[in-house]
Amino acid sequence: MPKYLSIGLSIAIFLVFCVTLFTNTLNIPSFDDYDTTIGFIKRIFFDDYTAKGKVEILFGRHNEHRIIITRLAAAAYFSIFHQVDFANLVFFQNLMLIGFFVLMLVIMNENRLLYAESILFASVFLFSLAFWQVSFYYWAGSQHYAVFLFCFLSFYLLNKSQTIKSRYFFLAVLAVIIAVFSFGNGFLGLLLGAFMLLVQKKWPQLFAWTGISAVLLWITFVLGAQVVVKRDIPFNIDWMKSLLLTFLGSFVYINPGANDYINIYICMIIGTTVLFVWIWLFFKGYPRRNPLLYCMLSMPILTGFIISVSRFEYQSGGGVAPRYMFFTATIPVILMLIFLDLKILRIRHLRLLAWAGVLLWGVVFFQNRKALREMNKDLVQRVIAWESDPETRLIHFNEAKPASESLKWAIDHKVVRIPELNEFRETETVPN
């Protein structure tokens, strides 16, 4: 009975996530969408650029990132339907989340770690609302889901490749190239892929991978590099440390909790434990025993180092930002697999952890659903107010003019249609 109950709960969690997604996703641009999607469509399809110029726009930087999947998906959708529907793009990006989940199941199966309880445990964290900003807004999920899906896929294929002529090696290279161009932390896939080949002593593949990585790292950090703006705030290692440790334990964060500071302290304690376990596994020699799982665990941890250095001024609060928390949702899932592999964790223990995870999922779902609906309501109200006053800030922390001009152009050229606004205006609510 526990086996079928675990499978049933996994299906229920997935279905609740899907229903929430389909009933709370808006066809309204938000935040980076005004530039990365609407602005991109304008430059590619309407402005007078040469073919070379359009390629440069497609592969060009967005801040420190290259976001080719985000751009290609939007361009493909516009080419077919002659408009941009943000709700449909959000549904598309969540297919990558499902793909990531399926990949995790495949990896579990090949490592003989696929149990009903491990499926439930993975469902709890990968179909959570903790990272609702990634799931429900195109500017986040199309980048974060893509980079982890293709990095992990690359690790999986590299692990299976035995020769440099193997189709697995070719596909691993292709996957990591896509990851590099999906989001800023994709280059970690290059470094971790080289580490995997090194510990496996696959010398021909390592030699080829190193050459390919050198080119991609040059593209990432040198080609088209922008001038770094000097910060007003000097680097503070204590703030960086607080953000890192909170980030690494953010998979147990309940937002918005009544005792927020207590929750953050708990995240920091768990994050510290995660960091020490990662180091302990290295010195224990686990990378040689199972390089695939170790590289998978290293991906979100090293991502945490990048975020904590680049966003240190947000301190511990930056470690629980919903836009980053998909990365850390993978940590407990991978640790579960590693502990099962080491026989530290038994099925009876996993069953208890899975049930505790279901409880956590429920509380997180309830709290973050409120935050999501509040954000959606704010987005709708801003667009409604903008119709009467173009000086309204569509992005609350930016000046009004750029986003206002972007949305006006998109509506005038029928790139974006927002028919739901009439309904929203009458009810002053957003979909439940």
Side-chain angles (χ1 to χ4, degrees):
M1 181 61 71
K3 174 182 177 180
Y4 296 107
L5 184 58
S6 295
I7 295 296
L9 281 172
S10 301
I11 295 172
I13 286 173
F14 173 70
L15 291 178
V16 170
F17 178 85
C18 290
V19 169
T20 306
L21 180 69
F22 280 101
T23 55
N24 288 273
T25 300
L26 302 177
N27 180 22
I28 294 179
S30 62
F31 302 104
D32 289 356
D33 284 332
Y34 289 101
D35 177 55
T36 60
T37 306
I38 295 176
F40 169 74
I41 294 296
K42 179 177 183 294
R43 291 187 290 272
I44 287 290
F45 291 97
F46 292 87
D47 290 348
D48 188 20
Y49 282 96
T50 63
K52 179 183 177 181
K54 292 181 179 182
V55 171
E56 290 174 348
I57 291 169
L58 177 63
F59 286 90
R61 291 174 180 266
H62 171 68
N63 297 325
E64 66 270 33
H65 312 299
R66 298 183 192 274
I67 52 172
I68 189 172
I69 295 296
T70 300
R71 290 168 173 165
L72 275 179
Y77 191 93
F78 183 81
S79 297
I80 296 170
F81 299 103
H82 308 295
Q83 63 175 307
V84 174
D85 187 304
F86 286 95
N88 287 338
L89 288 174
V90 166
F91 300 149
F92 158 75
Q93 76 185 21
N94 277 276
L95 292 178
M96 290 189 284
L97 173 61
I98 295 173
F100 183 84
F101 181 77
V102 171
L103 176 62
M104 293 300 298
L105 296 186
V106 171
I107 292 171
M108 289 180 193
N109 185 54
E110 295 202 358
N111 283 267
R112 299 182 180 179
L113 302 172
L114 185 64
Y115 307 106
E117 293 81 3
S118 59
I119 295 173
L120 176 57
F121 194 80
S123 301
V124 160
F125 289 100
L126 297 182
F127 295 117
S128 170
L129 284 198
F131 45 90
W132 55 272
Q133 289 182 342
V134 182
S135 299
F136 289 84
Y137 304 121
Y138 185 61
W139 51 269
S142 58
Q143 299 162 24
H144 294 194
Y145 290 156
V147 70
F148 261 39
L149 170 60
F150 288 103
C151 271
F152 279 49
L153 179 60
S154 181
F155 299 154
Y156 169 74
L157 294 168
L158 269 186
N159 191 57
K160 292 178 73 68
S161 72
Q162 296 302 319
T163 68
I164 196 171
K165 296 180 180 180
S166 165
R167 70 179 185 276
Y168 292 117
F169 182 73
F170 172 78
L171 292 173
V173 170
L174 180 61
V176 83
I177 290 172
I178 296 173
V180 167
F181 288 107
S182 294
F183 195 58
N185 60 340
F187 78 93
L188 293 174
L190 300 170
L191 305 181
L192 291 170
F195 177 75
M196 176 184 290
L197 294 172
L198 177 65
V199 298
Q200 292 179 325
K201 299 181 180 180
K202 296 178 178 177
W203 307 121
Q205 292 101 307
L206 177 59
F207 180 78
W209 186 272
T210 301
I212 295 167
S213 296
V215 174
L216 290 172
L217 289 172
W218 177 77
I219 293 173
T220 299
F221 294 106
V222 179
L223 185 63
Q226 300 171 338
V227 177
V228 178
V229 179
K230 187 176 180 181
R231 295 172 182 252
D232 295 330
I233 304 174
F235 180 74
N236 187 309
I237 193 168
D238 288 331
W239 293 358
M240 173 257 179
K241 180 182 67 176
S242 296
L243 195 156
L244 172 65
L245 297 179
T246 307
F247 173 85
L248 295 180
S250 62
F251 53 86
V252 297
Y253 183 69
I254 300 171
N255 175 47
N259 297 310
D260 188 68
Y261 67 96
I262 295 176
N263 204 176
I264 285 179
Y265 284 140
I266 293 173
C267 291
M268 291 184 71
I269 292 170
I270 293 178
T272 303
T273 304
V274 168
L275 186 59
F276 277 111
V277 167
W278 179 60
I279 296 170
W280 171 75
L281 288 169
F282 178 82
F283 286 105
K284 184 179 174 62
Y286 191 74
R288 289 191 297 274
R289 171 172 172 163
N290 198 325
L292 173 59
L293 293 185
Y294 190 79
C295 286
M296 287 167 55
L297 177 63
S298 300
M299 187 69 194
I301 291 176
L302 293 178
T303 295
F305 278 96
I306 294 173
I307 293 173
S308 62
V309 170
S310 61
R311 304 287 188 267
F312 70 91
E313 66 271 21
Y314 294 108
Q315 304 180 55
S316 58
V320 291
R323 66 184 181 277
Y324 295 136
M325 288 171 62
F326 167 68
F327 297 142
T328 60
T330 62
I331 291 176
V333 179
I334 302 166
L335 282 176
M336 170 200 67
L337 298 179
I338 290 174
F339 288 153
L340 283 172
D341 185 42
L342 290 172
K343 304 296 190 275
I344 294 174
L345 191 64
R346 303 290 182 176
I347 295 299
R348 64 180 182 275
H349 305 138
L350 179 57
R351 189 171 295 125
L352 293 175
L353 285 175
W355 283 105
V358 171
L359 178 61
L360 175 66
W361 179 89
V363 177
V364 168
F365 178 89
F366 176 77
Q367 296 287 56
N368 284 280
R369 184 168 176 265
K370 291 192 299 183
L372 165 64
R373 296 172 75 180
E374 288 172 3
M375 176 67 79
N376 279 351
K377 183 176 181 179
D378 179 71
L379 291 174
V380 170
Q381 289 177 340
R382 286 179 184 277
V383 174
I384 291 174
W386 170 83
E387 287 187 309
S388 302
D389 180 11
E391 295 300 317
T392 300
R393 291 192 177 197
L394 293 168
I395 305 173
H396 66 85
F397 50 81
N398 284 349
E399 60 178 296
K401 186 176 180 181
S404 176
E405 291 180 347
S406 178
L407 184 58
K408 184 179 186 305
W409 175 88
I411 292 176
D412 288 346
H413 288 79
K414 296 182 172 53
V415 172
V416 172
R417 295 181 176 88
I418 315 180
E420 297 91 339
L421 284 184
N422 290 329
E423 177 186 344
F424 297 156
R425 191 181 294 104
E426 294 172 2
T427 61
E428 295 185 356
T429 59
V430 295
N432 292 324

